[in-house]
Amino acid sequence: MKELTVSRLSGKLDIQSLPAIAAALEQITAQPVDVLNWKDAYPYCPEVSFRLAYDDKNFYLRYDVREKHIRAKATDNNGPVWLDSCVEFFLSPENNEEYYNLECSCIGTKLLGYKKRPSDTPQHATVEIMNNIRCESSLGSQPFDERTGDFSWQLVAVIPLHSFWNHTLGSLEGKTMHANFYKCGDELTEPHFLSWNPIQTLEPSFHQPGFFGKLIFSAI
């Protein structure tokens, strides 16, 4: 199991400025999302990394991606963003089967779900919760059909701690949680399913809290 020490962002942050947050996250070491769990069937491996930090109110997440195919057809929050070029953050606050899945397309269309166990039907976040999660992509926010070439893009998200509505997270300092980070594109010309922490299943499945890595929240 991988372990990641998550740093607290220091200093005053203009949380209304996502470019400023992207710049602040430069101080955080980038973590690769490069595990090809099902490489025989899905060998394509785009270049993907994430940076994660926190403070008393929010998670701050930045993804950097370079890939050959991009697509952004989903326009409604809690829609099928995983079919597009998509990055994902799954979090288990209590290291059990309960987890949340935050999925963002390359234009910042979002899905946030919750399951008490992987086999459950997901509950989706309310409109109010979704509106309070801020995502911005360097590709803009307008939908488009698949494009092929050499594309580099960045997505920055500010995720209020109260977005995880079935838990009261409180202060994160000193806590341990479990999570995984993903990149997918189910309906791209070259479908792919990358993860940060390895997944040992026969078929692609990100809804596997038993294979989450460990997050350790530091004061530094």
Side-chain angles (χ1 to χ4, degrees):
M1 177 193 298
K2 290 182 179 178
E3 294 187 2
L4 175 64
T5 299
V6 183
S7 297
R8 183 185 182 95
L9 276 188
S10 58
K12 292 185 178 180
L13 267 180
D14 178 5
I15 66 168
Q16 300 306 312
S17 172
L18 293 188
I21 291 168
L25 288 171
E26 282 290 339
Q27 66 184 278
I28 306 298
T29 302
Q31 305 295 321
V33 180
D34 59 0
V35 180
L36 283 172
N37 302 283
W38 308 280
K39 62 182 179 181
D40 290 341
Y42 303 101
Y44 177 55
C45 186
E47 298 175 23
V48 186
S49 66
F50 72 90
R51 293 172 166 88
L52 179 69
Y54 79 99
D55 63 16
D56 290 335
K57 295 183 178 180
N58 302 295
F59 286 114
Y60 301 95
L61 179 61
R62 169 178 147 184
Y63 271 95
D64 291 276
V65 180
R66 183 177 180 181
E67 59 185 333
K68 292 192 292 185
H69 311 282
I70 54 174
R71 191 189 91 160
K73 297 181 73 172
T75 56
D76 295 329
N77 286 333
N78 288 328
V81 295
W82 64 90
L83 302 179
D84 292 336
S85 184
C86 183
V87 290
E88 304 184 357
F89 169 39
F90 281 38
L91 179 71
S92 175
E94 297 179 0
N95 189 27
N96 54 19
E97 290 193 308
E98 256 182 303
Y99 67 94
Y100 299 84
N101 53 299
L102 176 64
E103 309 176 15
C104 300
S105 79
C106 62
I107 58 169
T109 306
K110 308 178 291 287
L111 177 152
L112 178 60
Y114 162 81
K115 290 187 178 185
K116 196 162 184 72
R117 58 189 61 83
S119 60
D120 287 352
T121 299
Q123 301 175 27
H124 287 135
T126 64
V127 171
E128 181 181 8
I129 289 173
M130 298 302 289
N131 287 342
N132 285 327
I133 298 172
R134 300 179 57 239
C135 289
E136 185 172 293
S137 170
S138 60
L139 294 177
S141 59
Q142 296 303 307
F144 55 84
D145 292 329
E146 185 174 320
R147 302 169 182 171
T148 297
D150 182 8
F151 302 100
S152 293
W153 56 275
Q154 182 182 96
L155 182 132
V156 179
V158 178
I159 310 158
L161 300 185
H162 59 71
S163 303
F164 304 94
W165 69 92
N166 282 313
H167 291 77
T168 302
L169 298 187
S171 173
L172 297 184
E173 189 173 315
K175 288 186 177 179
T176 297
M177 297 182 184
H178 288 71
N180 214 342
F181 301 81
Y182 307 115
K183 170 69 177 74
C184 66
D186 290 32
E187 289 194 352
L188 298 183
T189 295
E190 294 185 87
H192 52 275
F193 304 92
L194 279 66
S195 68
W196 169 64
N197 200 65
I199 303 169
Q200 297 175 11
T201 61
L202 294 178
E203 300 291 335
S205 174
F206 288 166
H207 293 258
Q208 298 290 335
F211 295 109
F212 287 5
K214 183 183 290 187
L215 303 182
I216 303 167
F217 293 93
S218 166
I220 301 173

